Amino acid sequence: MKEDAFCEEGDIVLADASEDVDDIGKAIEIVDIGGQRLVSGLHTILASRIDHRIVVGFGAYLYASSGVRKQIQQRAQGAKVLGISKTQLAEVELAYPTEAREQQKIAHCLSSLDDVIGLESHKLDALKNLKKGLMQQLFPQDVA
């Protein structure tokens, strides 16, 4: 396998095919691979971080932004299965702050909000389970 096929920290991996317009081009950012050798896989596009203008941790938020998502969705082609090529993806305009410190602050803020949302989601799930248990106790299934 060629060396440039492996992911590195800061690379973005995008879905190049989807049956749903909302999922085409969805991206993840490689943040910490712990020294492992990682490939992006089938039906993905590896967007390598060639230059270091985008700081690690900021890229995923950039590619999840509504402006970038809309551009990707507009370029997707297909009837039942949508696809996007590397060429089409290269046409997507990325608008972002040029200062690394500003990108880091934005990424930290959004990451903190993700953490809070995750905790609140966990609490919500626990409350739903509590309600389900109470409902089962209050309204038993086995009625003679």
Side-chain angles (χ1 to χ4, degrees):
M1 186 169 290
K2 296 190 312 185
E3 271 311 301
D4 61 351
F6 291 99
C7 300
E8 294 182 10
E9 289 184 3
D11 288 352
I12 303 291
V13 179
L14 299 104
D16 72 353
S18 174
E19 294 178 5
D20 184 352
V21 72
D22 291 334
D23 291 334
I24 189 70
K26 277 208 172 168
I28 62 164
E29 181 178 11
I30 307 300
V31 176
D32 182 10
I33 56 177
Q36 299 294 313
R37 293 175 63 85
L38 179 71
V39 293
S40 62
L42 295 175
H43 299 293
T44 64
I45 296 172
L46 176 61
S48 296
R49 191 171 77 126
I50 298 168
D51 58 36
H52 291 76
R53 291 183 288 177
I54 298 174
V55 300
V56 175
F58 181 77
Y61 293 113
L62 176 61
Y63 277 86
S65 69
S66 60
V68 172
R69 296 286 314 132
K70 186 175 181 179
Q71 290 181 72
I72 290 171
Q73 291 166 350
Q74 289 172 340
R75 284 170 174 76
Q77 297 177 342
K80 290 185 179 186
V81 177
L82 297 169
I84 190 161
S85 68
K86 289 180 182 181
T87 304
Q88 293 164 320
L89 196 57
E91 295 172 356
V92 172
E93 293 182 26
L94 302 176
Y96 56 91
T98 57
E99 293 292 323
R101 188 162 166 76
E102 187 175 354
Q103 291 178 28
Q104 288 169 333
K105 285 181 181 180
I106 291 168
H108 179 72
C109 175
L110 294 174
S111 177
S112 295
L113 286 172
D114 282 342
D115 291 345
V116 170
I117 291 168
L119 290 172
E120 293 301 320
S121 294
H122 184 70
K123 287 180 190 177
L124 180 61
D125 290 342
L127 288 171
K128 285 180 180 180
N129 287 333
L130 175 62
K131 178 184 174 186
K132 183 178 178 182
L134 289 172
M135 296 279 293
Q136 288 174 347
Q137 288 178 359
L138 292 169
F139 306 105
Q141 296 277 337
D142 297 329
V143 180

